[in-house]
Amino acid sequence: MKNLGIRRISFYALLIALAMIFSYVETLIPLPFFVPGMKLGLANIVTMVALYKMGTVDAAVISGARILLSALLFGNAFSLAYSLAGGAVSLFVMILLKKTRKFGITGVSVAGGVCHNIAQIGVAALLLETGELIYYLPVLIVTGAITGCLIGIIGGILLKKLAKAPF
Amino acid sequence: MEKKPTSKNIRRNDIILIVGVLLVGAVLFIVIASAKTDGARVDVLVNGDVAESYPLREDRTVELAYNGHNLLRIEDGTATVTAADCPDKLCVKQRTISKEGETIVCLPHRVVIRISGGEASGMDGVVR
């Protein structure tokens, strides 16, 4: 138990770094069309692995730290507000769905992706005082479901590969 | 408790959830698309207030200088941003807009370009 703290901190550092790289790589991948708030959510792979492999609190710490650090390095106060809202809402919903034990990792990830997009467009509408942004909602729901599905499948494969990993 | 990953990554409930979410998206899309009408004016909003406004039917190119530069082009009843000096260029990537309520957003410059109905919705009638 004694070195559990150190081990845990090391894994936090590793996973946060990995999530930040994903956040960055994501900005390099061109999407065929753009809707505000839409993204692949590659960093969510890390959150999923942390959620399933480590636990609720660990996933929250890693996701929160990644969002804060990414915003400090690459973003601004506005992007921080969007990311935090999206990250917090999607993590909350994913934790809830996982606790029901009725859904697999793919379903949890889909719900997370969709809620992330809804939260982001909501915050954008509030900050910009532009209610019309709600027109993007259907597209964001569908793209959130698709990317969430992909991330969930990848996360599931990773968890299988990591079944024997020591964290 | 957290140690054991579920052996099945996609369960029946997951499929139901995905189909349900896609259905909600499709229904919302139909509802919103059917409520859309052709716009008449292009409004430029800065921090939520209308700063500039142009008729959608007159072709022109406008240089917007709010927290940076965006080039707004109005052509053939549609509006689009053709160039910008913001870091992400997402406003340039967004598609052209022409229907009432559609927007192009440039977050870094806090500029929103919005189509509004304006005067008597530039339309004589709709035949379907």
Side-chain angles (χ1 to χ4, degrees):
Chain A
M1 286 303 272
K2 218 187 269 174
N3 54 8
L4 190 72
I6 295 165
R7 166 169 284 183
R8 185 157 282 214
I9 288 169
S10 312
F11 277 121
Y12 278 0
L14 193 73
L15 290 177
I16 291 167
L18 189 60
M20 286 176 66
I21 293 170
F22 277 148
S23 284
Y24 176 67
V25 166
E26 186 166 273
T27 63
L28 302 179
I29 301 173
L31 295 170
F33 60 100
F34 177 78
V35 175
M38 187 173 101
K39 56 182 206 166
L40 282 172
L42 286 180
N44 208 29
I45 294 176
V46 176
T47 311
M48 298 302 295
V49 169
L51 183 61
Y52 275 81
K53 194 77 187 152
M54 297 172 83
T56 307
V57 181
D58 309 87
V61 169
I62 289 166
S63 174
R66 189 263 305 169
I67 290 168
L68 269 177
L69 290 172
S70 295
L72 281 177
L73 284 175
F74 313 119
N76 53 38
F78 276 89
S79 66
L80 179 64
Y82 300 116
S83 308
L84 267 187
V89 172
S90 85
L91 187 63
F92 180 71
V93 171
M94 290 198 293
I95 290 168
L96 276 188
L97 277 201
K98 181 170 173 283
K99 287 245 191 282
T100 66
R101 299 185 160 274
K102 288 195 169 67
F103 296 93
I105 188 169
T106 310
V108 171
S109 173
V110 165
V114 171
C115 292
H116 173 273
N117 286 358
I118 294 176
Q120 282 212 324
I121 202 75
V123 171
L126 279 179
L127 285 182
L128 295 169
E129 297 172 31
T130 312
E132 286 84 356
L133 283 179
I134 202 166
Y135 286 132
Y136 291 119
L137 200 54
V139 185
L140 286 173
I141 288 176
V142 172
T143 54
I146 294 168
T147 57
C149 195
L150 289 175
I151 299 296
I153 290 168
I154 295 170
I157 294 168
L158 273 180
L159 281 174
K160 238 172 226 167
K161 300 259 181 214
L162 289 173
K164 289 197 186 104
F167 63 100
Chain B
M1 293 290 258
E2 312 285 357
K3 280 278 159 335
K4 210 165 155 199
T6 40
S7 52
K8 281 185 85 175
N9 290 323
I10 307 179
R11 297 200 219 162
R12 206 166 61 104
N13 282 338
D14 296 350
I15 309 277
I16 296 171
L17 179 79
I18 293 167
V19 172
V21 165
L22 291 178
L23 269 181
V24 169
V27 168
L28 267 181
F29 179 78
I30 292 167
V31 168
I32 289 174
S34 62
K36 273 183 187 173
T37 51
D38 284 334
R41 294 194 73 80
V42 181
D43 296 336
V44 178
L45 285 79
V46 181
N47 291 327
D49 301 317
V50 179
E52 299 176 31
S53 180
Y54 302 98
L56 189 56
R57 285 154 159 241
E58 291 168 22
D59 293 358
R60 75 177 76 210
T61 305
V62 192
E63 170 112 25
L64 304 176
Y66 303 98
N67 313 309
H69 293 272
N70 301 71
L71 205 61
L72 165 68
R73 176 179 291 163
I74 303 171
E75 201 174 46
D76 300 328
T78 64
T80 180
V81 173
T82 51
D85 61 358
C86 49
D88 50 13
K89 301 273 190 295
L90 293 181
C91 49
V92 182
K93 285 185 201 161
Q94 289 173 58
R95 53 197 179 135
T96 59
I97 54 174
S98 62
K99 305 281 187 194
E100 194 180 339
E102 286 184 334
T103 53
I104 293 175
V105 182
C106 180
L107 277 181
H109 296 166
R110 270 176 276 156
V111 170
V112 176
I113 294 153
R114 183 177 66 184
I115 306 291
S116 63
E119 69 277 349
S121 171
M123 205 191 302
D124 300 328
V126 179
V127 181
R128 283 177 204 264

